[in-house]
Amino acid sequence: MKKQILLLILLSIFIFSCGPTIYKAQGFEQLTAGRKTAAILPVAAHYKLKHREKRKTDSAWLKQEEENSGIDMQAKMYK
């Protein structure tokens, strides 16, 4: 019985720790106190590749992927 309770507690801690994390800039509440809307800009995403991966990757494709990742992150923040 004690093992089942311990397992239940550990499982519930694991489930609740997987929730979404909301990131806000420092002072966000003070900056937006008098405003009704706030803009969510695309994130500046940069990939750090190893030397071997850099040789295999096209720079134009990599730049496009970074832009797409930034736009995807923006959409996810909006949700």
Side-chain angles (χ1 to χ4, degrees), residues 30-78:
Q30 291 82 16
L31 293 172
T32 59
R35 295 184 169 86
K36 293 182 181 179
T37 58
I40 300 173
L41 302 176
V43 176
H46 299 286
Y47 293 125
K48 292 185 179 181
L49 301 177
K50 295 181 180 178
H51 180 67
R52 190 177 315 157
E53 295 169 337
K54 284 182 183 179
R55 287 187 284 150
K56 296 178 182 179
T57 306
D58 182 30
S59 62
W61 177 84
L62 183 61
K63 185 175 181 179
Q64 185 64 38
E65 282 298 310
E66 289 175 344
E67 289 178 15
N68 291 343
S69 294
I71 292 170
D72 289 343
M73 288 179 169
Q74 177 189 23
K76 288 178 182 178
M77 280 190 233
Y78 181 74

